[in-house]
Amino acid sequence: MLLYKFTKFYELLFKFPPVLIWREKAINSLEKELKNLNIKPSNILDVGCGTGILISLLRKLYPQSEILGIDISAPMLNLAIKRYGKLAKFKNLDFFYFKERQDLIIVFHSFTYFPLVPVIEKIKSLLNPGGSCVIVTNGRAPFSIIHQFIVSKLLRTKLNIYSPKDFQSLFPHTKWDLHSRIISQFEGSFILSVSNKI
Ligand SMILES: C[S@@+](CC[C@H](N)C(=O)[O-])C[C@H]1O[C@@H](n2cnc3c(N)ncnc32)[C@H](O)[C@@H]1O
């Protein structure tokens, strides 16, 4: 997307309320969820890592793990490498071409770029037995609908909005532990966590 060529401008959008506050809430929710999961992943994949906003947190929570950030946008990824190249590895790659199995997959505010069923099948195919996936994304709410409209008109990019319910049938409870929580009602953001029952 055009916006991701202008990485500094992209980051500027997150420097002012209410987006700044929503972002802090989303990161805090992710940290809380990861602590609750209480896992020791040997490897972690940050899908659509952008400029690497999560890398310091992941390194703090998982000092021993292999952390890999992937992103389809080279400018975003280059900034991530410049900032966090010592803390993690990075690859300029479309998630659908990624092949290495993982203990933990995080999709933080990049889920709207993916069609639901294919991306869930991809995530399932990559998770190791007992592995977990945590998704932070925007559901149907005033802000996300306005945001979706502006992005489609100005940037000609389709964003997909899902609700926590859309995930339930894709993760049958016989095989998966799934739960979700709203992060911000107005933004429509929620966190969804799924773990593969061994
Ligand atoms: C809204 S940004 C979020 C970036 C970062 N997670 C953050 O919160 O700052 C969405 C990111 O997803 C990336 N992305 C979109 N489609 C992708 C794909 N198919 N594979 C990998 N990355 C993708 C974009 O390039 C962009 O950097």
Side-chain angles (χ1 to χ4, degrees):
M1 179 158 94
L2 182 66
L3 177 64
Y4 300 137
K5 288 192 177 145
F6 304 98
T7 51
K8 297 281 173 177
F9 179 71
Y10 166 79
E11 290 192 323
L12 193 66
L13 298 174
F14 294 98
K15 297 232 185 286
F16 305 97
V19 184
L20 172 70
I21 294 158
W22 292 337
R23 196 149 174 84
E24 280 172 8
K25 276 181 96 172
I27 293 172
N28 290 342
S29 296
L30 177 69
E31 179 168 8
K32 201 170 154 197
E33 180 56 36
L34 292 175
K35 284 180 177 162
N36 283 346
L37 279 177
N38 194 21
I39 51 173
K40 284 192 180 150
S42 60
N43 58 6
I44 303 167
L45 177 67
D46 180 2
V47 178
C49 64
T51 56
I53 182 82
L54 297 182
I55 300 301
S56 308
L57 171 67
L58 296 176
R59 183 47 77 217
K60 180 184 88 175
L61 296 177
Y62 305 110
Q64 308 298 335
S65 307
E66 197 178 287
I67 301 173
L68 175 65
I70 62 163
D71 203 289
I72 202 168
S73 159
M76 296 286 271
L77 200 76
N78 288 340
L79 193 52
I81 294 169
K82 202 168 137 194
R83 286 178 181 158
Y84 305 107
K86 289 192 176 142
L87 298 183
K89 292 191 174 145
F90 296 93
K91 259 188 203 164
N92 184 202
L93 191 70
D94 182 330
F95 179 48
F96 285 103
Y97 291 97
F98 187 80
K99 292 205 171 79
E100 295 149 42
R101 291 177 74 101
Q102 301 291 312
D103 289 339
L104 174 61
I105 297 177
I106 297 172
V107 194
F108 187 84
H109 282 308
S110 54
F111 204 86
T112 46
Y113 290 95
F114 299 114
L116 185 64
V117 174
V119 76
I120 295 299
E121 289 311 314
K122 182 71 190 172
I123 288 169
K124 284 177 177 177
S125 75
L126 291 175
L127 279 181
N128 282 324
S132 303
C133 173
V134 182
I135 296 166
V136 172
T137 191
N138 283 1
R140 292 177 191 92
F143 171 79
S144 53
I145 290 165
I146 295 165
H147 178 245
Q148 184 191 39
F149 179 77
I150 293 171
V151 169
S152 73
K153 293 291 168 206
L154 286 186
L155 301 169
R156 308 220 172 278
T157 302
K158 182 177 179 256
L159 295 182
N160 301 293
I161 296 180
Y162 306 113
S163 79
K165 276 190 188 157
D166 298 329
F167 294 78
Q168 279 166 7
S169 62
L170 300 170
F171 290 104
H173 69 274
T174 47
K175 287 191 177 168
W176 300 89
D177 281 321
L178 177 149
H179 62 267
S180 63
R181 253 179 309 113
I182 299 292
I183 298 173
S184 155
Q185 288 284 1
F186 188 76
E187 186 193 23
S189 50
F190 63 90
I191 184 163
L192 183 128
S193 171
V194 279
S195 297
N196 184 337
K197 293 182 185 173
I198 305 174

